[in-house]
Amino acid sequence: MARFVIAASKGTDDPTMATMAFIASKAAKDQGHDVNLWLQGEAMVLARKGMVDGVQGVGLPALKVVANAVELPKIPIWVCSACAMAR
């Protein structure tokens, strides 16, 4: 088992890349790895309640669906405090 920190820097500004970080986190967890999802930059806005509801990447499931799949196995989501204060 490996340990992963998946870093996301895209949020509502790039829905496709924002969703990919959540998908990668879930895939690593499903493979039995220890995973943390790190939100920085614009991705930090996705930590706010309800922000994932309207995010839809190209050819991907809605971010709300993927985020729920990340939440269920209790993948820790870390938020950059400096990024949060700036936004």
Side-chain angles (χ1 to χ4, degrees):
M1 174 173 59
R3 181 176 180 107
F4 291 94
V5 176
I6 310 273
S9 61
K10 299 295 182 180
T12 56
D13 61 324
D14 189 340
T16 300
M17 291 305 293
T19 305
M20 293 301 290
F22 282 78
I23 289 172
S25 297
K26 180 170 180 339
K29 184 70 169 183
D30 288 347
Q31 293 295 315
H33 300 292
D34 186 18
V35 181
N36 291 309
L37 178 57
W38 169 249
L39 303 181
Q40 60 188 354
E42 291 301 316
M44 187 251 73
V45 300
L46 300 174
R48 292 186 187 145
K49 186 174 181 149
M51 286 301 291
V52 298
D53 292 352
V55 179
Q56 176 72 56
V58 177
L60 298 172
L63 182 53
K64 181 178 183 176
V65 172
V66 180
N68 285 336
V70 165
E71 185 178 26
L72 289 175
K74 301 202 184 296
I75 295 173
I77 299 176
W78 298 343
V79 177
C80 169
S81 60
C83 300
M85 290 177 12
R87 287 162 180 80

